[in-house]
Amino acid sequence: MRPEDYIDIVGEEVIADIHRAAQLLSEKSVLHVNATYYGGGVAEMLHTILPLMNSMGLDADWSLLYGHPDLFQMTKKLHNGLQGEGVDISQAELATYLSVNEAFARYTPIMHDAVIIHDPQPLPSIHFRRKSQPWIWRCHIDPSVPSDHVWDLLKPYISEYDAMVVSAEAFRKPDLPVKTYIIPPAIDPFSTINRDMSSDEVNAKLAEYGIPQDKPLLVQVSRFDKWKDPVGVLDVFERVRKEIDCRLVMLGNMAGDDPEGPVIYRQVAARAEQMPDVHLITETDPALVNALQRSAAVVLQLSLKEGFGLTVSEALWKGTPVIATRVGGIPLQIEDGKMGYLTEPKDYQTMSERVLRILGDPNLGATLGAAGQEHVRKRFLMTRLLLDWLKLLNDVIRS
Ligand code: UDP
Protein backbone atom coordinates (compact mmCIF):
# COMPACT_ATOMS: atom_id res chain seq x y z
CA MET A 1 0.00 0.00 0.00
CA ARG A 2 1.05 3.57 -0.68
CA PRO A 3 -0.58 6.81 0.44
CA GLU A 4 -1.53 7.50 -3.20
CA ASP A 5 -3.92 4.55 -3.03
CA TYR A 6 -6.04 6.63 -0.64
CA ILE A 7 -6.36 9.75 -2.84
CA ASP A 8 -9.92 9.06 -3.96
CA ILE A 9 -11.02 8.69 -0.36
CA VAL A 10 -9.10 11.43 1.46
CA GLY A 11 -8.18 13.92 -1.27
CA GLU A 12 -4.85 15.17 -2.59
CA GLU A 13 -3.96 17.58 0.18
CA VAL A 14 -3.38 14.93 2.84
CA ILE A 15 -1.19 12.94 0.48
CA ALA A 16 0.92 16.01 -0.31
CA ASP A 17 1.28 16.66 3.45
CA ILE A 18 2.44 13.07 3.95
CA HIS A 19 5.10 13.44 1.26
CA ARG A 20 6.35 16.66 2.79
CA ALA A 21 6.55 15.12 6.25
CA ALA A 22 8.33 12.01 4.92
CA GLN A 23 11.00 13.91 3.01
CA LEU A 24 13.48 14.30 5.84
CA LEU A 25 12.85 10.82 7.16
CA SER A 26 13.93 8.92 4.09
CA GLU A 27 16.61 6.35 5.02
CA LYS A 28 15.72 6.69 8.69
CA SER A 29 14.56 3.60 10.53
CA VAL A 30 12.03 2.94 13.25
CA LEU A 31 11.26 -0.13 15.33
CA HIS A 32 7.75 -0.87 16.65
CA VAL A 33 7.47 -3.26 19.58
CA ASN A 34 4.29 -4.83 20.96
CA ALA A 35 3.19 -8.17 22.37
CA THR A 36 0.91 -9.80 19.79
CA TYR A 37 0.71 -10.15 16.03
CA TYR A 38 -3.06 -10.61 16.08
CA GLY A 39 -6.07 -9.72 18.19
CA GLY A 40 -6.90 -6.24 19.38
CA GLY A 41 -6.53 -2.82 17.86
CA VAL A 42 -2.76 -2.37 18.21
CA ALA A 43 -1.86 -5.33 16.01
CA GLU A 44 -4.62 -4.32 13.60
CA MET A 45 -3.06 -0.86 13.11
CA LEU A 46 0.54 -2.08 12.91
CA HIS A 47 -0.37 -4.39 10.02
CA THR A 48 -1.22 -1.29 7.94
CA ILE A 49 0.97 1.48 9.31
CA LEU A 50 4.22 -0.46 8.79
CA PRO A 51 3.80 -1.03 5.04
CA LEU A 52 2.72 2.61 4.67
CA MET A 53 5.79 3.88 6.55
CA ASN A 54 8.02 1.63 4.43
CA SER A 55 6.42 2.89 1.23
CA MET A 56 7.51 6.41 2.22
CA GLY A 57 11.18 5.44 2.44
CA LEU A 58 11.21 5.07 6.20
CA ASP A 59 12.57 1.67 7.21
CA ALA A 60 9.95 0.42 9.68
CA ASP A 61 10.39 -2.88 11.57
CA TRP A 62 8.16 -4.72 14.03
CA SER A 63 9.43 -6.89 16.93
CA LEU A 64 7.37 -8.92 19.36
CA LEU A 65 7.99 -9.20 23.06
CA TYR A 66 7.59 -12.98 23.40
CA GLY A 67 6.30 -14.21 26.72
CA HIS A 68 4.62 -17.18 28.32
CA PRO A 69 1.07 -17.10 29.73
CA ASP A 70 2.31 -16.03 33.21
CA LEU A 71 3.74 -12.85 31.75
CA PHE A 72 0.49 -11.96 30.04
CA GLN A 73 -1.52 -12.71 33.21
CA MET A 74 0.66 -10.08 34.87
CA THR A 75 0.58 -7.56 32.04
CA LYS A 76 -3.22 -7.84 31.85
CA LYS A 77 -3.16 -6.75 35.50
CA LEU A 78 -1.10 -3.73 34.45
CA HIS A 79 -3.65 -3.03 31.72
CA ASN A 80 -6.51 -3.34 34.22
CA GLY A 81 -4.62 -1.24 36.79
CA LEU A 82 -3.95 1.53 34.28
CA GLN A 83 -7.70 1.58 33.65
CA GLY A 84 -8.31 2.08 37.36
CA GLU A 85 -8.92 -1.41 38.76
CA GLY A 86 -7.23 -2.29 42.06
CA VAL A 87 -4.84 -5.17 41.30
CA ASP A 88 -2.34 -7.23 43.29
CA ILE A 89 1.01 -7.84 41.71
CA SER A 90 3.33 -10.26 43.46
CA GLN A 91 7.12 -9.90 43.65
CA ALA A 92 7.43 -13.06 41.51
CA GLU A 93 5.18 -11.57 38.81
CA LEU A 94 7.15 -8.36 38.84
CA ALA A 95 10.40 -10.30 38.54
CA THR A 96 9.08 -12.20 35.50
CA TYR A 97 7.92 -8.97 33.86
CA LEU A 98 11.29 -7.33 34.31
CA SER A 99 13.36 -10.35 33.32
CA VAL A 100 11.42 -10.89 30.07
CA ASN A 101 11.92 -7.21 29.25
CA GLU A 102 15.58 -7.39 30.15
CA ALA A 103 16.11 -10.37 27.85
CA PHE A 104 14.25 -8.58 25.07
CA ALA A 105 16.37 -5.46 25.48
CA ARG A 106 19.61 -7.44 25.54
CA TYR A 107 18.98 -9.76 22.60
CA THR A 108 16.96 -7.67 20.14
CA PRO A 109 19.05 -5.87 17.55
CA ILE A 110 18.08 -2.21 17.91
CA MET A 111 20.03 -0.03 15.51
CA HIS A 112 17.05 2.11 14.57
CA ASP A 113 16.75 5.89 14.63
CA ALA A 114 13.67 5.69 16.86
CA VAL A 115 11.89 3.02 18.90
CA ILE A 116 8.13 2.96 19.47
CA ILE A 117 7.01 0.77 22.35
CA HIS A 118 3.29 -0.07 22.36
CA ASP A 119 1.42 -0.54 25.65
CA PRO A 120 2.68 -1.78 29.04
CA GLN A 121 3.97 -5.24 28.09
CA PRO A 122 7.35 -4.10 26.63
CA LEU A 123 7.43 -0.78 28.56
CA PRO A 124 10.40 -1.47 30.92
CA SER A 125 12.66 -2.73 28.13
CA ILE A 126 13.99 0.83 27.89
CA HIS A 127 15.50 0.45 31.34
CA PHE A 128 17.79 -2.39 30.24
CA ARG A 129 19.28 -0.75 27.21
CA ARG A 130 21.85 1.98 26.83
CA LYS A 131 19.80 3.80 24.25
CA SER A 132 21.24 5.76 21.40
CA GLN A 133 17.99 6.99 19.86
CA PRO A 134 14.67 8.49 21.01
CA TRP A 135 12.22 6.02 22.55
CA ILE A 136 8.49 6.70 22.43
CA TRP A 137 5.91 4.99 24.61
CA ARG A 138 2.61 4.63 22.77
CA CYS A 139 -0.08 4.04 25.40
CA HIS A 140 -3.25 2.72 23.74
CA ILE A 141 -5.05 2.46 27.08
CA ASP A 142 -6.89 5.21 28.98
CA PRO A 143 -4.43 5.89 31.86
CA SER A 144 -6.21 8.97 33.20
CA VAL A 145 -7.32 7.43 36.52
CA PRO A 146 -4.97 4.49 37.17
CA SER A 147 -4.61 2.48 40.36
CA ASP A 148 -1.90 4.09 42.50
CA HIS A 149 -0.05 0.81 42.83
CA VAL A 150 0.28 0.31 39.06
CA TRP A 151 1.05 3.95 38.36
CA ASP A 152 3.81 3.98 41.00
CA LEU A 153 5.25 0.87 39.42
CA LEU A 154 5.19 2.10 35.82
CA LYS A 155 5.88 5.81 36.22
CA PRO A 156 9.68 5.48 36.66
CA TYR A 157 9.91 3.49 33.41
CA ILE A 158 7.64 5.88 31.50
CA SER A 159 9.79 8.75 32.76
CA GLU A 160 12.80 7.28 30.96
CA TYR A 161 11.12 7.83 27.59
CA ASP A 162 11.72 10.79 25.30
CA ALA A 163 8.06 11.05 24.39
CA MET A 164 4.70 9.50 25.13
CA VAL A 165 1.66 9.20 22.88
CA VAL A 166 -1.94 8.89 24.07
CA SER A 167 -5.19 8.83 22.09
CA ALA A 168 -7.03 11.79 23.62
CA GLU A 169 -6.30 15.06 25.38
CA ALA A 170 -8.10 13.76 28.48
CA PHE A 171 -5.46 11.01 28.84
CA ARG A 172 -2.56 13.41 29.30
CA LYS A 173 -0.64 12.82 32.56
CA PRO A 174 0.37 16.19 34.02
CA ASP A 175 2.65 14.57 36.61
CA LEU A 176 4.98 13.08 33.98
CA PRO A 177 8.17 14.80 32.88
CA VAL A 178 7.74 13.41 29.36
CA LYS A 179 6.65 15.31 26.27
CA THR A 180 3.21 13.98 25.37
CA TYR A 181 1.66 13.85 21.91
CA ILE A 182 -2.03 13.26 21.23
CA ILE A 183 -2.57 10.87 18.33
CA PRO A 184 -5.93 9.14 18.00
CA PRO A 185 -5.85 5.74 16.26
CA ALA A 186 -7.28 5.13 12.81
CA ILE A 187 -8.70 2.46 10.54
CA ASP A 188 -7.64 1.26 7.12
CA PRO A 189 -10.40 1.48 4.50
CA PHE A 190 -8.64 -1.21 2.42
CA SER A 191 -8.15 -3.84 5.11
CA THR A 192 -10.28 -6.98 5.05
CA ILE A 193 -12.22 -5.57 8.00
CA ASN A 194 -13.10 -2.35 6.21
CA ARG A 195 -12.92 -2.82 2.45
CA ASP A 196 -16.08 -2.60 0.35
CA MET A 197 -18.10 -5.77 0.30
CA SER A 198 -20.97 -6.57 -2.06
CA SER A 199 -24.27 -7.61 -0.54
CA ASP A 200 -23.76 -11.10 -2.03
CA GLU A 201 -20.46 -11.38 -0.17
CA VAL A 202 -22.05 -10.15 3.05
CA ASN A 203 -24.92 -12.61 2.72
CA ALA A 204 -22.56 -15.50 2.00
CA LYS A 205 -20.39 -14.64 5.02
CA LEU A 206 -23.35 -14.50 7.39
CA ALA A 207 -24.73 -17.74 5.95
CA GLU A 208 -21.34 -19.40 6.52
CA TYR A 209 -21.75 -18.75 10.26
CA GLY A 210 -25.45 -19.69 10.31
CA ILE A 211 -26.68 -16.16 11.01
CA PRO A 212 -30.11 -15.63 9.44
CA GLN A 213 -31.03 -12.13 8.28
CA ASP A 214 -34.67 -12.50 9.13
CA LYS A 215 -34.69 -9.82 11.87
CA PRO A 216 -32.74 -6.65 12.62
CA LEU A 217 -29.24 -7.46 13.82
CA LEU A 218 -27.59 -5.94 16.88
CA VAL A 219 -23.85 -6.48 16.86
CA GLN A 220 -20.94 -5.98 19.24
CA VAL A 221 -17.47 -6.83 17.93
CA SER A 222 -15.05 -6.98 20.86
CA ARG A 223 -12.68 -9.31 22.61
CA PHE A 224 -14.47 -11.08 25.47
CA ASP A 225 -13.17 -8.65 28.06
CA LYS A 226 -15.00 -7.35 31.13
CA TRP A 227 -14.13 -3.78 30.10
CA LYS A 228 -16.28 -4.25 26.98
CA ASP A 229 -19.26 -5.16 29.23
CA PRO A 230 -20.38 -8.22 27.23
CA VAL A 231 -22.96 -9.17 29.87
CA GLY A 232 -24.38 -5.65 29.56
CA VAL A 233 -24.82 -6.27 25.84
CA LEU A 234 -27.02 -9.27 26.67
CA ASP A 235 -28.99 -7.10 29.09
CA VAL A 236 -29.66 -4.45 26.43
CA PHE A 237 -30.62 -7.12 23.91
CA GLU A 238 -33.12 -8.64 26.34
CA ARG A 239 -34.77 -5.27 26.94
CA VAL A 240 -34.95 -4.41 23.23
CA ARG A 241 -36.31 -7.81 22.32
CA LYS A 242 -39.32 -7.32 24.55
CA GLU A 243 -40.42 -4.51 22.19
CA ILE A 244 -39.01 -5.43 18.76
CA ASP A 245 -37.95 -8.91 17.63
CA CYS A 246 -34.26 -8.91 16.75
CA ARG A 247 -31.09 -10.97 16.78
CA LEU A 248 -27.78 -10.41 18.56
CA VAL A 249 -24.31 -11.33 17.36
CA MET A 250 -21.30 -10.95 19.63
CA LEU A 251 -18.04 -11.57 17.87
CA GLY A 252 -14.89 -11.70 19.96
CA ASN A 253 -11.70 -13.47 19.08
CA MET A 254 -9.03 -14.28 21.64
CA ALA A 255 -5.99 -11.98 21.62
CA GLY A 256 -2.66 -13.67 22.29
CA ASP A 257 -1.87 -11.27 25.14
CA ASP A 258 -5.28 -11.37 26.88
CA PRO A 259 -5.54 -14.45 29.13
CA GLU A 260 -8.91 -13.36 30.59
CA GLY A 261 -10.78 -13.96 27.31
CA PRO A 262 -11.82 -17.61 27.82
CA VAL A 263 -13.01 -16.94 31.40
CA ILE A 264 -15.20 -14.03 30.37
CA TYR A 265 -16.46 -15.96 27.34
CA ARG A 266 -17.70 -18.79 29.59
CA GLN A 267 -19.59 -16.30 31.78
CA VAL A 268 -21.27 -14.74 28.77
CA ALA A 269 -22.03 -18.12 27.19
CA ALA A 270 -23.65 -19.38 30.41
CA ARG A 271 -26.07 -16.47 30.37
CA ALA A 272 -26.61 -16.46 26.59
CA GLU A 273 -27.56 -20.16 26.65
CA GLN A 274 -30.91 -19.22 28.17
CA MET A 275 -31.62 -16.64 25.46
CA PRO A 276 -32.92 -17.23 21.92
CA ASP A 277 -31.38 -15.52 18.87
CA VAL A 278 -27.98 -14.85 20.41
CA HIS A 279 -24.91 -15.86 18.42
CA LEU A 280 -21.53 -15.89 20.18
CA ILE A 281 -18.57 -16.34 17.86
CA THR A 282 -14.88 -16.56 18.77
CA GLU A 283 -13.38 -17.19 15.32
CA THR A 284 -10.76 -14.83 13.95
CA ASP A 285 -12.34 -13.81 10.67
CA PRO A 286 -11.86 -10.19 9.57
CA ALA A 287 -14.33 -10.60 6.69
CA LEU A 288 -16.96 -11.61 9.25
CA VAL A 289 -16.23 -8.42 11.24
CA ASN A 290 -16.79 -6.47 8.03
CA ALA A 291 -19.98 -8.31 7.08
CA LEU A 292 -21.46 -7.91 10.56
CA GLN A 293 -20.67 -4.22 10.84
CA ARG A 294 -22.31 -3.73 7.41
CA SER A 295 -25.43 -5.75 8.05
CA ALA A 296 -26.12 -4.57 11.60
CA ALA A 297 -29.08 -2.26 12.16
CA VAL A 298 -27.13 -0.95 15.14
CA VAL A 299 -23.62 -1.62 16.40
CA LEU A 300 -23.12 -1.53 20.15
CA GLN A 301 -19.92 -0.66 21.97
CA LEU A 302 -20.82 -0.66 25.63
CA SER A 303 -17.30 -0.43 27.06
CA LEU A 304 -16.77 0.52 30.71
CA LYS A 305 -13.31 1.85 29.78
CA GLU A 306 -11.84 2.22 26.32
CA GLY A 307 -8.56 3.52 24.97
CA PHE A 308 -10.16 4.41 21.65
CA GLY A 309 -12.38 1.63 20.33
CA LEU A 310 -11.50 1.08 16.69
CA THR A 311 -14.69 -0.91 16.27
CA VAL A 312 -16.67 2.33 16.57
CA SER A 313 -14.94 3.96 13.59
CA GLU A 314 -15.10 0.68 11.68
CA ALA A 315 -18.87 0.51 11.99
CA LEU A 316 -19.39 4.22 11.25
CA TRP A 317 -17.19 3.92 8.17
CA LYS A 318 -19.70 1.39 6.84
CA GLY A 319 -22.58 3.79 7.43
CA THR A 320 -23.88 1.89 10.44
CA PRO A 321 -25.03 3.88 13.49
CA VAL A 322 -23.33 3.09 16.79
CA ILE A 323 -24.64 3.25 20.33
CA ALA A 324 -21.71 3.47 22.68
CA THR A 325 -20.63 4.61 26.09
CA ARG A 326 -19.18 8.04 26.79
CA VAL A 327 -15.75 6.70 27.81
CA GLY A 328 -12.15 6.99 26.65
CA GLY A 329 -11.75 7.79 22.97
CA ILE A 330 -15.33 6.97 22.00
CA PRO A 331 -16.68 10.57 22.26
CA LEU A 332 -14.03 11.63 19.71
CA GLN A 333 -15.78 9.34 17.27
CA ILE A 334 -19.44 9.94 18.10
CA GLU A 335 -21.26 13.16 18.79
CA ASP A 336 -24.43 12.23 20.63
CA GLY A 337 -27.37 12.24 18.26
CA LYS A 338 -25.24 12.85 15.16
CA MET A 339 -23.51 9.56 14.30
CA GLY A 340 -25.27 7.45 16.89
CA TYR A 341 -25.84 7.88 20.60
CA LEU A 342 -23.65 8.12 23.66
CA THR A 343 -24.77 6.89 27.06
CA GLU A 344 -23.20 6.42 30.45
CA PRO A 345 -21.68 2.95 31.02
CA LYS A 346 -24.21 0.40 32.34
CA ASP A 347 -27.18 2.69 31.64
CA TYR A 348 -28.94 -0.22 29.95
CA GLN A 349 -32.33 1.47 30.01
CA THR A 350 -31.13 4.45 27.92
CA MET A 351 -29.09 2.18 25.67
CA SER A 352 -32.11 0.03 24.88
CA GLU A 353 -34.31 3.11 24.31
CA ARG A 354 -31.76 4.41 21.79
CA VAL A 355 -31.63 1.04 20.02
CA LEU A 356 -35.43 0.99 19.81
CA ARG A 357 -35.44 4.52 18.44
CA ILE A 358 -33.15 3.46 15.57
CA LEU A 359 -34.92 0.16 14.92
CA GLY A 360 -38.23 2.02 14.76
CA ASP A 361 -37.05 4.51 12.15
CA PRO A 362 -34.89 3.19 9.28
CA ASN A 363 -34.27 6.73 7.97
CA LEU A 364 -32.76 7.71 11.28
CA GLY A 365 -30.22 4.87 11.14
CA ALA A 366 -29.22 5.84 7.61
CA THR A 367 -28.82 9.53 8.51
CA LEU A 368 -26.70 8.80 11.57
CA GLY A 369 -24.61 6.28 9.62
CA ALA A 370 -23.94 8.72 6.77
CA ALA A 371 -22.78 11.40 9.23
CA GLY A 372 -20.56 8.81 10.88
CA GLN A 373 -18.93 7.83 7.61
CA GLU A 374 -18.02 11.46 6.85
CA HIS A 375 -16.68 12.01 10.35
CA VAL A 376 -14.41 8.97 10.03
CA ARG A 377 -13.26 10.03 6.55
CA LYS A 378 -12.05 13.35 7.96
CA ARG A 379 -10.50 12.20 11.20
CA PHE A 380 -9.93 8.49 11.62
CA LEU A 381 -8.42 7.03 8.45
CA MET A 382 -4.91 5.60 8.24
CA THR A 383 -3.50 8.47 6.20
CA ARG A 384 -4.11 10.89 9.09
CA LEU A 385 -2.42 8.47 11.47
CA LEU A 386 0.56 8.10 9.13
CA LEU A 387 0.89 11.87 8.90
CA ASP A 388 0.76 12.24 12.70
CA TRP A 389 3.49 9.61 13.14
CA LEU A 390 5.71 11.19 10.50
CA LYS A 391 5.38 14.59 12.16
CA LEU A 392 6.21 13.11 15.54
CA LEU A 393 9.23 11.23 14.17
CA ASN A 394 10.49 14.41 12.51
CA ASP A 395 10.17 16.09 15.86
CA VAL A 396 11.89 13.47 17.99
CA ILE A 397 14.57 12.23 15.59
CA ARG A 398 15.74 15.66 14.60
CA SER A 399 15.47 17.43 17.94
N1 UDP B 1 -11.52 -7.58 16.12
C1 UDP B 1 -11.50 -8.64 15.25
N2 UDP B 1 -12.18 -9.76 15.59
C2 UDP B 1 -12.85 -9.88 16.73
C3 UDP B 1 -12.85 -8.79 17.64
C4 UDP B 1 -12.17 -7.63 17.30
O1 UDP B 1 -10.92 -8.59 14.18
O2 UDP B 1 -13.43 -10.93 16.97
C5 UDP B 1 -10.82 -6.37 15.73
C6 UDP B 1 -11.75 -5.17 15.64
O3 UDP B 1 -12.45 -5.17 14.42
C7 UDP B 1 -10.76 -4.02 15.83
C8 UDP B 1 -9.79 -4.60 16.84
O4 UDP B 1 -9.86 -6.02 16.72
O5 UDP B 1 -10.09 -3.76 14.63
C9 UDP B 1 -10.16 -4.20 18.25
O6 UDP B 1 -9.75 -2.89 18.48
P1 UDP B 1 -10.44 -1.96 19.56
O7 UDP B 1 -9.70 -0.69 19.58
O8 UDP B 1 -11.91 -1.87 19.28
O9 UDP B 1 -10.30 -2.75 20.94
P2 UDP B 1 -9.07 -3.45 21.70
O10 UDP B 1 -9.23 -4.91 21.45
O11 UDP B 1 -7.80 -2.90 21.13
O12 UDP B 1 -9.31 -3.12 23.14
Side-chain angles (χ1 to χ4, degrees), residues 40-42 44 193 221-223 228 251-253 283 289 293 306 308-311 314:
V42 180
E44 180 62 28
I193 288 183
V221 176
S222 277
R223 290 175 296 104
K228 312 281 184 182
L251 172 62
N253 60 359
E283 301 295 311
V289 175
Q293 289 168 335
E306 191 62 78
F308 181 73
L310 283 176
T311 45
E314 289 167 0

Side-chain angles (χ1 to χ4, degrees), residues 269-289:
R271 173 131 183 234
E273 240 168 45
Q274 338 282 331
M275 300 165 68
D277 295 332
V278 176
H279 304 249
L280 302 185
I281 306 172
T282 57
E283 301 295 311
T284 295
D285 184 345
L288 178 63
V289 175

Side-chain angles (χ1 to χ4, degrees), residues 2-4 14-24 56 387 390:
R2 306 173 63 244
E4 278 65 21
V14 180
I15 309 303
D17 288 346
I18 289 174
H19 278 272
R20 260 191 300 279
Q23 243 163 30
L24 292 165
M56 296 312 296
L387 182 58
L390 295 176

